[in-house]
Coordinates of all heavy atoms in Angstrom, one line a residue:
M1101 N 7.1 -6.9 18.5 CA 8.0 -7.3 17.3 C 9.4 -7.1 17.7 O 9.8 -6.0 18.3 CB 7.6 -6.3 16.2 CG 8.5 -6.7 14.8 SD 8.1 -5.5 13.6 CE 6.6 -6.1 13.0
P1102 N 10.4 -7.9 17.6 CA 11.7 -7.6 18.1 C 12.4 -6.5 17.4 O 12.1 -6.2 16.2 CB 12.5 -9.0 17.6 CG 11.5 -9.7 16.8 CD 10.2 -9.3 17.0
S1103 N 13.2 -5.8 18.1 CA 13.8 -4.6 17.6 C 14.8 -4.9 16.4 O 15.0 -3.9 15.6 CB 14.5 -3.8 18.7 OG 15.7 -4.6 19.3
N1104 N 15.3 -6.0 16.3 CA 16.2 -6.3 15.2 C 15.4 -6.9 14.0 O 16.1 -7.4 13.0 CB 17.3 -7.3 15.7 CG 16.8 -8.6 15.9 OD1 15.6 -8.9 16.1 ND2 17.7 -9.6 16.1
A1105 N 14.1 -6.8 14.0 CA 13.4 -7.3 12.8 C 13.6 -6.4 11.6 O 13.9 -5.1 11.7 CB 11.9 -7.2 13.1
P1106 N 13.7 -7.0 10.5 CA 14.1 -6.1 9.2 C 12.9 -5.1 9.0 O 11.8 -5.5 9.4 CB 14.3 -7.1 8.1 CG 13.6 -8.4 8.6 CD 13.7 -8.5 10.0
D1107 N 13.4 -4.1 8.4 CA 12.2 -2.9 8.1 C 11.4 -3.5 6.9 O 11.9 -3.5 5.8 CB 13.1 -1.7 7.7 CG 12.3 -0.5 7.9 OD1 11.1 -0.7 8.5 OD2 12.7 0.6 7.9
V1108 N 10.2 -3.9 7.3 CA 9.4 -4.6 6.2 C 8.3 -3.6 5.7 O 7.8 -2.7 6.4 CB 8.7 -5.9 6.6 CG1 9.8 -6.9 6.8 CG2 7.7 -5.6 7.7
R1109 N 8.0 -3.7 4.4 CA 7.0 -3.0 3.7 C 6.0 -3.9 3.1 O 6.4 -5.0 2.6 CB 7.6 -2.0 2.7 CG 8.4 -0.8 3.4 CD 7.4 0.0 4.2 NE 8.3 1.1 4.9 CZ 8.7 1.1 5.9 NH1 8.7 -0.1 6.8 NH2 9.4 2.1 6.5
R1110 N 4.8 -3.5 2.8 CA 3.8 -4.3 2.0 C 3.9 -3.9 0.4 O 3.8 -2.8 0.2 CB 2.5 -4.2 2.7 CG 1.5 -5.3 2.1 CD 0.2 -5.2 2.7 NE -0.6 -4.0 2.2 CZ -1.8 -3.9 2.4 NH1 -2.5 -4.7 3.1 NH2 -2.5 -2.8 1.9
C1111 N 3.9 -5.0 -0.2 CA 3.9 -4.8 -1.7 C 2.5 -4.4 -2.2 O 1.6 -5.1 -1.7 CB 4.3 -6.1 -2.4 SG 4.1 -6.1 -4.1
V1112 N 2.3 -3.3 -2.9 CA 1.0 -2.9 -3.2 C 0.3 -3.8 -4.4 O -0.9 -3.7 -4.6 CB 1.0 -1.5 -3.7 CG1 1.2 -0.5 -2.7 CG2 1.8 -1.2 -4.9
A1113 N 1.2 -4.6 -4.9 CA 0.7 -5.6 -6.0 C 0.2 -6.9 -5.3 O -1.0 -7.1 -5.5 CB 1.7 -5.9 -7.0
C1114 N 1.0 -7.6 -4.8 CA 0.7 -8.9 -4.2 C 0.2 -8.8 -2.7 O -0.3 -9.8 -2.2 CB 1.7 -9.9 -4.4 SG 3.2 -9.7 -3.4
R1115 N 0.5 -7.7 -2.1 CA 0.1 -7.5 -0.6 C 0.8 -8.3 0.4 O 0.4 -8.4 1.5 CB -1.4 -7.5 -0.6 CG -2.1 -6.7 -1.3 CD -3.7 -6.5 -0.9 NE -4.4 -5.6 -1.8 CZ -4.4 -4.4 -1.5 NH1 -3.8 -3.8 -0.4 NH2 -5.0 -3.4 -2.2
E1116 N 2.0 -8.9 -0.1 CA 2.9 -9.7 0.8 C 3.8 -8.7 1.4 O 4.2 -7.7 0.9 CB 3.7 -10.8 0.1 CG 2.9 -11.8 -0.4 CD 2.2 -12.8 0.6 OE1 2.8 -13.0 1.7 OE2 1.1 -13.2 0.4
H1117 N 4.4 -9.0 2.5 CA 5.3 -8.1 3.3 C 6.7 -8.6 2.9 O 6.9 -9.8 2.7 CB 5.2 -8.1 4.7 CG 3.9 -7.4 5.2 ND1 2.8 -7.9 5.0 CD2 3.8 -6.0 5.6 CE1 1.8 -7.0 5.6 NE2 2.4 -5.9 5.8
A1118 N 7.7 -7.6 2.8 CA 9.1 -8.1 2.6 C 10.0 -6.9 3.0 O 9.5 -5.9 3.2 CB 9.3 -8.2 1.0
P1119 N 11.4 -7.3 3.2 CA 12.3 -6.2 3.6 C 12.5 -5.3 2.6 O 12.2 -5.6 1.3 CB 13.5 -7.0 3.9 CG 13.2 -8.5 4.0 CD 11.9 -8.6 3.2
K1120 N 12.7 -4.0 3.0 CA 12.8 -2.8 2.0 C 13.9 -3.2 1.1 O 13.8 -2.9 -0.1 CB 13.1 -1.6 2.7 CG 12.1 -1.0 3.5 CD 12.5 0.0 4.6 CE 12.9 1.3 3.9 NZ 13.2 2.4 4.9
S1121 N 14.9 -4.0 1.3 CA 15.9 -4.4 0.3 C 15.5 -5.2 -0.8 O 16.0 -5.2 -1.8 CB 17.1 -5.1 1.1 OG 16.5 -6.2 1.6
E1122 N 14.2 -5.8 -0.6 CA 13.6 -6.6 -1.7 C 12.6 -5.8 -2.5 O 11.9 -6.4 -3.4 CB 13.1 -7.9 -1.2 CG 14.2 -8.8 -0.6 CD 13.6 -10.0 0.1 OE1 12.4 -10.3 0.0 OE2 14.2 -10.6 0.9
M1123 N 12.5 -4.5 -2.3 CA 11.3 -3.9 -2.8 C 11.9 -2.6 -3.5 O 13.0 -2.2 -3.3 CB 10.4 -3.3 -1.6 CG 10.1 -4.3 -0.5 SD 8.8 -5.4 -0.9 CE 7.4 -4.4 -0.7
I1124 N 11.0 -1.9 -4.4 CA 11.1 -0.6 -5.0 C 10.1 0.2 -4.4 O 9.0 0.0 -4.3 CB 11.1 -0.8 -6.5 CG1 12.0 -1.9 -7.1 CG2 11.4 0.6 -7.2 CD1 11.9 -2.1 -8.6
R1125 N 10.8 1.5 -4.1 CA 9.6 2.4 -3.7 C 9.3 3.4 -4.8 O 10.1 3.8 -5.5 CB 10.3 3.3 -2.5 CG 9.3 4.3 -1.8 CD 9.9 4.9 -0.7 NE 8.9 5.8 0.0 CZ 9.0 7.1 0.1 NH1 9.8 7.8 -0.5 NH2 7.9 7.8 0.7
V1126 N 7.9 3.7 -4.9 CA 7.4 4.6 -5.6 C 6.9 5.8 -4.8 O 6.2 5.5 -3.8 CB 6.4 4.2 -6.7 CG1 5.8 5.2 -7.5 CG2 6.9 2.9 -7.3
C1127 N 7.1 7.0 -5.1 CA 6.9 8.2 -4.3 C 5.9 9.0 -4.9 O 6.1 9.4 -6.2 CB 8.2 8.9 -3.8 SG 7.9 10.2 -2.7
R1128 N 5.0 9.7 -4.3 CA 4.2 10.8 -4.7 C 4.6 12.0 -3.9 O 4.3 12.0 -2.6 CB 2.8 10.5 -4.7 CG 2.1 11.7 -5.5 CD 0.6 11.5 -5.4 NE 0.0 11.9 -4.1 CZ -1.3 12.0 -3.7 NH1 -2.1 11.7 -4.5 NH2 -1.5 12.3 -2.5
S1129 N 5.1 13.0 -4.5 CA 5.6 14.2 -3.7 C 4.3 15.1 -3.4 O 3.3 14.8 -4.0 CB 6.6 15.0 -4.5 OG 6.1 15.4 -5.7
A1130 N 4.5 16.1 -2.6 CA 3.5 16.8 -2.1 C 2.9 17.7 -3.3 O 1.7 18.0 -3.3 CB 4.0 18.0 -1.1
D1131 N 3.6 17.9 -4.4 CA 3.0 18.6 -5.5 C 2.3 17.6 -6.5 O 2.1 17.9 -7.7 CB 4.1 19.5 -6.2 CG 5.2 18.8 -6.7 OD1 5.3 17.5 -6.7 OD2 6.3 19.4 -7.1
G1132 N 2.3 16.4 -6.2 CA 1.6 15.5 -6.9 C 2.3 14.7 -8.1 O 1.8 14.0 -8.8
K1133 N 3.6 14.9 -8.0 CA 4.5 14.2 -9.0 C 4.9 12.7 -8.5 O 5.2 12.6 -7.3 CB 5.8 15.0 -9.1 CG 6.7 14.4 -10.4 CD 7.8 15.5 -10.4 CE 8.9 15.1 -11.3 NZ 9.1 13.7 -11.9
V1134 N 4.6 11.7 -9.3 CA 5.0 10.4 -8.9 C 6.1 10.0 -9.6 O 6.3 10.1 -10.9 CB 3.6 9.5 -9.4 CG1 4.0 8.0 -9.0 CG2 2.4 9.9 -8.7
F1135 N 7.1 9.4 -8.9 CA 8.3 8.9 -9.4 C 8.9 7.7 -8.8 O 8.5 7.4 -7.7 CB 9.4 10.1 -9.5 CG 9.6 10.6 -8.1 CD1 10.6 10.1 -7.3 CD2 8.7 11.5 -7.6 CE1 10.9 10.6 -6.1 CE2 8.8 12.1 -6.1 CZ 10.0 11.6 -5.5
V1136 N 9.8 7.0 -9.4 CA 10.4 5.8 -8.8 C 11.5 6.4 -7.9 O 12.4 7.1 -8.2 CB 11.1 4.9 -9.9 CG1 11.8 3.7 -9.2 CG2 10.0 4.4 -10.8
D1137 N 11.5 6.0 -6.6 CA 12.4 6.5 -5.6 C 13.5 5.6 -5.3 O 13.4 4.7 -4.5 CB 11.5 6.9 -4.3 CG 12.4 7.4 -3.1 OD1 13.6 7.7 -3.5 OD2 11.9 7.3 -2.1
D1138 N 14.4 6.0 -6.0 CA 15.7 4.9 -5.8 C 16.3 5.1 -4.4 O 17.0 4.2 -4.0 CB 16.8 5.0 -6.9 CG 16.2 4.5 -8.3 OD1 15.7 3.4 -8.3 OD2 16.3 5.2 -9.3
T1139 N 16.1 6.1 -3.8 CA 16.8 6.2 -2.5 C 15.9 5.6 -1.4 O 16.6 5.2 -0.3 CB 17.0 7.8 -2.0 OG1 15.7 8.3 -1.9 CG2 17.6 8.5 -3.1
G1140 N 14.7 5.4 -1.7 CA 13.8 4.7 -0.6 C 13.4 5.6 0.4 O 12.7 5.2 1.4
N1141 N 13.8 6.9 0.4 CA 13.3 7.8 1.5 C 12.9 9.3 1.1 O 13.1 10.2 1.8 CB 14.2 7.9 2.8 CG 15.7 7.9 2.4 OD1 15.9 8.7 1.3 ND2 16.5 7.4 3.0
A1142 N 12.5 9.4 -0.3 CA 12.3 10.8 -0.6 C 11.0 11.2 0.1 O 10.2 10.4 0.6 CB 12.0 10.7 -2.2
D1143 N 10.8 12.6 0.0 CA 9.7 13.2 0.8 C 8.4 12.8 0.1 O 8.4 12.9 -1.2 CB 9.8 14.7 0.8 CG 10.7 15.1 2.1 OD1 11.0 14.2 3.0 OD2 10.9 16.2 2.2
G1144 N 7.4 12.5 0.7 CA 6.1 12.2 0.2 C 5.6 10.8 0.5 O 6.0 10.1 1.4
R1145 N 4.5 10.5 -0.1 CA 3.7 9.3 0.3 C 4.4 8.2 -0.7 O 4.7 8.4 -1.7 CB 2.3 9.5 -0.2 CG 1.5 8.3 0.3 CD 0.0 8.5 -0.3 NE -0.7 7.2 -0.2 CZ -1.2 6.8 0.8 NH1 -1.2 7.4 2.0 NH2 -2.0 5.6 0.9
G1146 N 4.7 7.0 0.0 CA 5.4 6.0 -0.7 C 4.5 4.7 -0.9 O 3.6 4.5 0.0
A1147 N 4.8 4.0 -2.0 CA 4.1 2.7 -2.2 C 5.3 1.8 -2.7 O 6.2 2.2 -3.3 CB 3.2 2.8 -3.4
W1148 N 5.2 0.6 -2.1 CA 6.4 -0.3 -2.4 C 5.9 -1.5 -3.1 O 4.8 -1.9 -3.1 CB 6.8 -0.8 -0.9 CG 7.4 0.2 -0.1 CD1 6.8 1.2 0.7 CD2 8.8 0.5 0.0 NE1 7.7 1.9 1.2 CE2 9.0 1.6 0.9 CE3 10.1 -0.1 -0.6 CZ2 10.2 2.1 1.3 CZ3 11.2 0.4 -0.1 CH2 11.4 1.5 0.8
V1149 N 6.8 -1.9 -4.0 CA 6.4 -3.1 -4.9 C 7.6 -4.0 -4.8 O 8.8 -3.5 -4.8 CB 5.9 -2.7 -6.3 CG1 7.1 -1.9 -7.1 CG2 5.5 -3.9 -7.1
H1150 N 7.5 -5.3 -4.9 CA 8.6 -6.3 -5.0 C 9.4 -5.9 -6.2 O 8.9 -5.6 -7.3 CB 8.1 -7.7 -5.1 CG 7.6 -8.2 -3.8 ND1 6.4 -8.5 -3.4 CD2 8.5 -8.6 -2.7 CE1 6.3 -9.0 -2.2 NE2 7.7 -9.1 -1.8
K1151 N 10.7 -6.2 -5.9 CA 11.7 -6.0 -7.2 C 11.6 -7.3 -8.1 O 12.6 -8.0 -8.2 CB 13.1 -5.8 -6.6 CG 13.8 -4.9 -7.5 CD 15.3 -4.7 -6.7 CE 15.2 -3.8 -5.5 NZ 16.6 -3.6 -4.9
N1152 N 10.4 -7.6 -8.7 CA 10.4 -8.8 -9.6 C 9.4 -8.5 -10.6 O 8.4 -7.6 -10.4 CB 10.3 -10.1 -8.9 CG 8.8 -10.1 -8.2 OD1 7.8 -9.8 -8.8 ND2 8.8 -10.6 -6.8
K1153 N 9.5 -9.2 -11.8 CA 8.6 -9.0 -12.9 C 7.2 -9.2 -12.6 O 6.3 -8.6 -13.0 CB 9.1 -9.8 -14.0 CG 10.4 -9.3 -14.6 CD 10.7 -9.9 -16.0 CE 12.0 -9.5 -16.6 NZ 12.1 -8.1 -16.7
E1154 N 6.9 -10.3 -11.8 CA 5.6 -10.7 -11.5 C 4.9 -9.6 -10.9 O 3.6 -9.2 -11.2 CB 5.6 -12.0 -10.6 CG 6.1 -13.3 -11.3 CD 7.5 -13.3 -11.6 OE1 8.2 -12.6 -10.8 OE2 8.0 -14.0 -12.3
C1155 N 5.4 -9.0 -9.8 CA 4.8 -8.0 -9.1 C 4.6 -6.7 -9.9 O 3.6 -5.9 -9.7 CB 5.4 -7.7 -7.8 SG 5.0 -9.1 -6.6
V1156 N 5.5 -6.3 -10.7 CA 5.5 -5.2 -11.6 C 4.4 -5.5 -12.6 O 3.5 -4.5 -12.9 CB 6.8 -4.7 -12.3 CG1 6.5 -3.6 -13.2 CG2 7.7 -4.4 -11.1
A1157 N 4.2 -6.5 -13.1 CA 3.2 -6.8 -14.0 C 1.8 -6.9 -13.4 O 0.9 -6.3 -13.9 CB 3.4 -8.2 -14.6
L1158 N 1.8 -7.5 -12.2 CA 0.5 -7.3 -11.4 C 0.1 -6.0 -11.0 O -1.1 -5.6 -11.1 CB 0.7 -8.2 -10.1 CG -0.5 -8.6 -9.3 CD1 -1.5 -9.3 -10.0 CD2 0.0 -9.3 -7.9
L1159 N 1.2 -5.2 -10.6 CA 0.8 -3.7 -10.3 C 0.1 -3.0 -11.5 O -0.8 -2.3 -11.4 CB 2.1 -3.0 -9.9 CG 2.2 -1.7 -9.6 CD1 3.1 -1.4 -8.5 CD2 2.7 -0.9 -10.8
K1160 N 0.7 -3.3 -12.7 CA 0.2 -2.6 -13.8 C -1.3 -3.1 -14.1 O -2.2 -2.4 -14.4 CB 1.1 -3.0 -15.1 CG 2.4 -2.2 -15.1 CD 2.8 -2.1 -16.6 CE 3.6 -3.5 -16.8 NZ 4.4 -3.5 -18.1
K1161 N -1.4 -4.6 -14.1 CA -2.7 -5.1 -14.3 C -3.8 -4.5 -13.4 O -5.0 -4.3 -13.8 CB -2.5 -6.6 -14.1 CG -3.8 -7.4 -14.7 CD -3.4 -8.9 -14.6 CE -4.8 -9.7 -14.6 NZ -4.6 -11.0 -13.8
K1162 N -3.5 -4.4 -12.1 CA -4.4 -3.9 -11.0 C -4.5 -2.5 -10.9 O -5.3 -1.9 -10.1 CB -4.0 -4.6 -9.7 CG -4.1 -6.0 -9.6 CD -3.5 -6.6 -8.4 CE -4.2 -6.1 -7.0 NZ -3.6 -6.8 -5.9
H1163 N -3.6 -1.7 -11.6 CA -3.5 -0.3 -11.5 C -3.4 0.1 -10.0 O -3.9 0.9 -9.5 CB -4.8 0.4 -12.0 CG -4.9 0.1 -13.6 ND1 -4.1 0.6 -14.4 CD2 -5.8 -0.7 -14.1 CE1 -4.6 0.2 -15.7 NE2 -5.7 -0.6 -15.5
A1164 N -2.5 -0.7 -9.3 CA -2.2 -0.6 -8.0 C -1.8 0.6 -7.6 O -2.1 1.1 -6.4 CB -1.3 -1.8 -7.5
L1165 N -1.0 1.4 -8.3 CA -0.4 2.6 -8.0 C -1.4 3.5 -8.0 O -1.4 4.6 -7.1 CB 0.7 3.1 -8.9 CG 2.1 2.4 -8.8 CD1 3.0 2.9 -9.8 CD2 2.7 2.6 -7.4
N1166 N -2.4 3.6 -8.9 CA -3.5 4.5 -8.9 C -4.2 4.5 -7.6 O -4.6 5.5 -7.0 CB -4.4 4.4 -10.0 CG -3.8 4.7 -11.4 OD1 -2.6 4.7 -11.5 ND2 -4.6 4.9 -12.5
A1167 N -4.5 3.3 -7.2 CA -5.2 3.0 -6.0 C -4.4 3.5 -4.7 O -4.8 4.1 -3.8 CB -5.5 1.5 -5.8
A1168 N -3.1 3.2 -4.7 CA -2.3 3.7 -3.6 C -2.2 5.1 -3.3 O -2.1 5.7 -2.4 CB -0.8 3.0 -3.7
F1169 N -2.1 5.7 -4.5 CA -2.0 7.2 -4.4 C -3.2 8.0 -4.8 O -3.3 9.3 -4.7 CB -0.9 7.7 -5.6 CG 0.4 7.1 -5.2 CD1 1.3 6.5 -6.2 CD2 1.0 7.4 -3.9 CE1 2.5 6.1 -5.9 CE2 2.4 7.0 -3.6 CZ 3.1 6.3 -4.7
K1170 N -4.3 7.3 -5.1 CA -5.6 7.9 -5.3 C -5.5 8.9 -6.3 O -6.1 10.1 -6.3 CB -6.2 8.5 -4.0 CG -6.5 7.4 -3.0 CD -7.2 7.9 -1.8 CE -7.7 6.8 -0.9 NZ -6.5 6.0 -0.4
C1171 N -4.8 8.6 -7.4 CA -4.6 9.5 -8.6 C -4.2 8.9 -9.7 O -3.8 7.6 -9.6 CB -3.6 10.7 -8.2 SG -2.1 10.2 -8.2
A1172 N -4.3 9.3 -11.0 CA -3.8 8.7 -12.2 C -2.3 8.7 -12.3 O -1.7 9.9 -12.5 CB -4.5 9.3 -13.5
V1173 N -1.7 7.6 -12.2 CA -0.2 7.5 -12.3 C 0.3 7.4 -13.8 O -0.3 6.5 -14.5 CB 0.4 6.5 -11.4 CG1 1.8 6.3 -11.6 CG2 -0.1 6.6 -9.9
P1174 N 1.1 8.3 -14.3 CA 1.5 8.1 -15.6 C 2.1 6.8 -15.9 O 2.7 6.3 -15.2 CB 2.4 9.4 -15.8 CG 2.4 10.1 -14.7 CD 1.8 9.3 -13.6
E1175 N 2.0 6.4 -17.3 CA 2.4 5.0 -17.7 C 4.0 5.1 -17.5 O 4.6 3.9 -17.4 CB 1.9 4.7 -19.0 CG 1.8 3.2 -19.3 CD 1.0 3.0 -20.5 OE1 -0.3 3.2 -20.3 OE2 1.3 2.7 -21.6
S1176 N 4.5 6.2 -17.7 CA 6.0 6.2 -17.7 C 6.6 5.8 -16.4 O 7.8 5.3 -16.3 CB 6.4 7.8 -17.9 OG 6.1 8.6 -16.8
V1177 N 5.9 5.9 -15.2 CA 6.4 5.5 -14.0 C 6.4 3.8 -14.0 O 7.4 3.3 -13.5 CB 5.4 5.9 -12.8 CG1 5.8 5.4 -11.6 CG2 5.3 7.4 -12.7
T1178 N 5.4 3.2 -14.4 CA 5.3 1.7 -14.5 C 6.4 1.3 -15.5 O 7.0 0.2 -15.3 CB 4.0 1.2 -14.8 OG1 3.4 1.9 -16.0 CG2 3.1 1.2 -13.7
E1179 N 6.6 2.1 -16.5 CA 7.7 1.7 -17.5 C 9.1 1.8 -16.8 O 10.0 0.9 -17.1 CB 7.8 2.7 -18.7 CG 6.5 2.2 -19.8 CD 6.2 3.3 -20.8 OE1 7.2 4.2 -20.9 OE2 5.2 3.2 -21.5
E1180 N 9.2 2.8 -16.0 CA 10.5 2.9 -15.2 C 10.7 1.6 -14.2 O 11.8 1.1 -14.0 CB 10.5 4.2 -14.4 CG 11.1 5.3 -15.0 CD 11.6 6.3 -14.0 OE1 12.5 6.1 -13.3 OE2 10.9 7.5 -14.1
L1181 N 9.6 1.2 -13.6 CA 9.7 0.1 -12.8 C 10.0 -1.2 -13.5 O 11.0 -1.9 -13.2 CB 8.3 -0.2 -12.2 CG 7.9 0.8 -10.9 CD1 6.5 0.4 -10.6 CD2 8.9 0.6 -9.7
D1182 N 9.5 -1.3 -14.8 CA 9.8 -2.3 -15.7 C 11.3 -2.5 -16.1 O 11.8 -3.4 -16.0 CB 9.0 -2.2 -17.1 CG 7.7 -3.0 -17.0 OD1 7.6 -4.0 -16.4 OD2 6.9 -2.6 -18.0
A1183 N 11.8 -1.2 -16.2 CA 13.3 -1.2 -16.4 C 14.1 -1.6 -15.3 O 15.2 -1.9 -15.5 CB 13.5 0.3 -16.9
R1184 N 13.5 -1.7 -14.1 CA 14.4 -1.9 -12.9 C 14.2 -3.4 -12.4 O 14.9 -3.9 -11.6 CB 14.0 -1.1 -11.8 CG 14.5 0.3 -11.9 CD 13.9 1.3 -10.9 NE 14.5 2.5 -10.7 CZ 14.4 3.6 -11.8 NH1 13.9 3.3 -12.9 NH2 15.1 4.7 -11.6
V1185 N 13.3 -4.3 -13.1 CA 13.1 -5.6 -12.6 C 13.6 -6.5 -13.7 O 13.8 -6.2 -14.9 CB 11.8 -5.8 -12.3 CG1 11.3 -5.1 -11.0 CG2 10.7 -5.6 -13.4
Ligands
LIG1428 ZN1 4.8 -8.2 -4.5

């Protein structure tokens, strides 16, 4: 891969890859708190989703965050994503 390739991540909803600039990161910290990570580099395990309504809707439908983090993610997190797309 060329060194100037954009930093891409995979969307947990549609599973397509995209540059981080087109994605929103959701983070689960070491103490298990899940939150929308606007900085994109908070400590913890990250899951990325496209910054669009389709993927946030798909994410909710598939409970993709629960799968990505292997835990029950509060609805408030997906509501926060909704507010950002
Ligand atoms: Zn997507």
Side-chain angles (χ1 to χ4, degrees):
M1101 189 185 279
S1103 60
N1104 63 350
D1107 205 357
V1108 297
R1109 291 292 180 270
R1110 194 175 75 167
C1111 172
V1112 294
C1114 69
R1115 299 190 177 276
E1116 296 290 326
H1117 288 81
K1120 285 162 81 173
S1121 58
E1122 292 172 19
M1123 318 275 287
I1124 304 174
R1125 184 176 189 249
V1126 183
C1127 180
R1128 191 186 69 172
S1129 61
D1131 60 7
K1133 187 175 170 351
V1134 179
F1135 56 97
V1136 178
D1137 173 20
D1138 288 314
T1139 69
N1141 52 33
D1143 273 351
R1145 186 184 165 83
W1148 294 80
V1149 63
H1150 280 110
K1151 210 180 284 182
N1152 67 44
K1153 288 192 183 306
E1154 289 73 22
C1155 284
V1156 171
L1158 188 63
L1159 176 140
K1160 285 197 284 190
K1161 193 176 154 203
K1162 290 169 64 173
H1163 303 287
L1165 285 179
N1166 293 18
F1169 293 132
K1170 298 183 171 60
C1171 71
V1173 173
E1175 213 157 284
S1176 60
V1177 175
T1178 44
E1179 282 168 8
E1180 266 201 69
L1181 287 172
D1182 262 338
R1184 282 166 171 75
V1185 295

